Amino acid sequence: MADWRAVLADAVRDAAELCRLLGLDPSVAAAAQDAEACFPLLAPRTLLGRIRRGDPEDPLLLQVLPRPAELADVPGFRSDPLGEAAATICPGLLQKYRGRALMVTTAACAVHCRYCFRRHLIGQAGNLTIGGKPKRRPGGADLGLPCPQPPATRGPKVEDWELALRRIADDTSIREVILSGGDPLAIEDAQLAQLAERLAEIPHLRRLRVHTRLPVMIPQRVTDELLSWLRGTRLTPVMVVQVNHPAEIDTAVAGALGRLVDAGVPVLNQAVLLRGVNDDAEVLAELCERLIDIRAMPYYLPQLDPVAGGAHFEVPEAAGVRLIGELRRRLPGYAVVRYVRETAAEASKEVLA
Ligand SMILES: *Cc1c(COP(=O)(O)O)cnc(C)c1O
Ligand code: SF4
């Protein structure tokens, strides 16, 4: 089984190659070009086997393929849709909700999700070098393309962790630290183990939550070292993954998430509601059931954050509420996700259904 770092380094980084590998018409790659220059494509080869060949509408492909609609300027869709700049306590540390602080540990990810609300952070040029095989290209703005403007905030750095740790230690109301990004599991286990150790020394902390897409994109990421530091920490670990469509769960992903659960780590899933991907009762019901079958609990179904470049993924709220009603008629109560929306400056996520 290939090492996860090697899989990450070998990821597909351009639309022409992706289309060739998936038997798609070269016109699909040509149409991707401008959007790709604004936010680079990144898709690990471990994902490709789950995408139907020759189908430009495949729900997994749509999550990673740049499309011309990303350049549309849609009113209400902006660069920092959640007001995170205002919730920043110090570089790389956010707090919006009581008792929970969120560390933006890195801008690196295993995949570039086209609808990501932090896409401007993730797409920053330095990120292209993560996992080796650096491929620097001129940014879309340099080419005169109407790329959405990035927010003024700079990307997170490991050097920011010290100050973030001090701030967390100073605030005794914080019970839980959420490692987010980017994808925190893009960081090496040795470094994460050290961070977990430092956090565990802060007496008022109880839980350590990890928000990651890596075990789903590259199942090899669930290493013995990862399980070892998660098992070893005094803090109660919780892993929140992101599976948006049942076809993302193949036997390797089921195995990886199963290993986490077997190690005593609760695994929760957030699926973003996405047009053309999972805005269908049949698909969502199958997703929730598959998750339960592999012992990952459906947690949230977030409404798409109104990020510039993501408008074409939006599902109207009324349609989302109807979908949840349909799930409730089909599934056991514990399998029904909570449909939520995140708004700047609210005390919690708002439950829509
Ligand atoms: C979503 C989010 C959390 C976690 O919210 P839960 O409802 O506990 O899952 C925490 N902090 C920030 C900044 C968030 O955006
Ligand atoms: S893995 Fe998460 S942070 Fe990274 S691009 Fe996808 S949604 Fe954004």
Side-chain angles (χ1 to χ4, degrees):
M1 197 164 73
D3 181 272
W4 67 272
R5 298 169 199 82
V7 178
L8 188 53
D10 189 38
V12 177
R13 289 161 197 267
D14 71 63
E17 186 182 5
L18 185 70
C19 289
R20 198 157 7 89
L21 291 168
L22 293 173
L24 289 164
D25 195 272
S27 66
V28 176
Q33 237 173 27
D34 286 358
E36 192 180 6
C38 291
F39 180 35
L41 180 151
L42 183 67
R45 285 168 210 268
T46 37
L47 177 67
L48 304 191
R50 293 171 255 168
I51 299 178
R52 282 192 303 266
R53 283 184 60 82
D55 179 2
E57 299 299 320
D58 178 273
L60 278 55
L61 177 71
L62 292 182
Q63 296 178 49
V64 298
L65 179 72
R67 280 183 294 170
E70 293 176 26
L71 297 179
D73 185 8
V74 180
F77 284 75
R78 53 199 182 277
S79 278
D80 179 15
L82 304 180
E84 291 201 326
T88 298
I89 298 174
C90 62
L93 186 67
L94 297 177
Q95 187 173 14
K96 282 170 83 172
Y97 304 139
R98 189 176 173 146
R100 290 149 286 171
L102 184 148
M103 280 181 80
V104 182
T105 50
T106 172
C109 289
V111 59
H112 286 174
C113 312
R114 306 312 300 180
Y115 50 84
C116 176
F117 75 93
R118 295 201 185 111
R119 74 204 295 272
H120 312 295
L121 174 75
I122 310 302
Q124 280 173 11
N127 188 39
L128 291 175
T129 63
I130 301 269
K133 224 165 116 181
K135 193 168 190 174
R136 286 199 181 260
R137 283 184 276 210
D142 304 329
L143 299 173
L145 293 166
C147 296
Q149 280 299 306
T153 45
R154 67 163 173 81
K157 296 198 173 105
V158 171
E159 300 86 79
D160 296 333
W161 292 5
E162 274 312 314
L163 181 58
L165 283 164
R166 265 207 307 279
R167 291 303 184 86
I168 295 166
D170 286 345
D171 183 348
T172 56
S173 73
I174 298 175
R175 308 276 173 87
E176 174 169 349
V177 168
I178 300 170
L179 303 184
S180 180
D183 196 316
L185 293 190
I187 299 167
E188 299 275 343
D189 284 313
Q191 211 166 9
L192 290 171
Q194 263 179 25
L195 178 60
E197 216 168 284
R198 296 286 304 279
L199 288 166
E201 286 166 6
I202 300 174
H204 50 269
L205 288 186
R206 299 185 187 178
R207 292 178 302 278
L208 179 60
R209 197 196 308 186
V210 181
H211 275 215
T212 175
R213 227 187 160 186
L214 246 153
V216 176
M217 290 296 122
I218 305 178
Q220 292 91 327
R221 180 63 187 90
V222 182
T223 56
D224 292 340
E225 293 75 26
L226 173 67
L227 297 176
S228 158
W229 70 259
L230 284 170
R231 248 201 230 102
T233 175
R234 165 189 78 77
L235 304 167
T236 301
V238 178
M239 186 79 70
V240 181
V241 297
Q242 187 196 139
V243 180
N244 295 318
H245 189 282
E248 284 165 53
I249 306 173
D250 61 7
T251 47
V253 171
L257 300 185
R259 270 157 58 79
L260 285 161
V261 177
D262 286 342
V265 181
V267 175
L268 309 178
N269 186 65
Q270 300 201 69
V272 183
L273 182 58
L274 298 168
R275 191 162 97 200
V277 174
N278 58 14
D279 57 336
D280 175 274
E282 199 67 48
V283 169
L284 274 183
E286 177 60 17
L287 172 61
C288 292
E289 280 201 289
R290 278 286 285 149
L291 287 166
I292 298 285
D293 290 345
I294 64 168
R295 299 175 294 158
M297 303 306 287
Y299 180 40
Y300 281 156
L301 179 73
Q303 173 71 357
L304 181 79
D305 299 313
V307 67
H312 53 292
F313 281 111
E314 189 176 50
V315 177
E317 248 174 65
V321 171
R322 276 196 304 275
L323 283 169
I324 299 294
E326 192 56 47
L327 292 186
R328 221 165 256 133
R329 280 186 286 278
R330 295 179 188 210
L331 299 176
Y334 60 82
V336 179
V337 286
R338 264 167 288 178
Y339 181 34
V340 295
R341 177 174 56 196
E342 180 147 355
T343 326
E346 285 296 326
S348 74
K349 299 192 204 295
E350 180 188 355
V351 179
L352 300 169

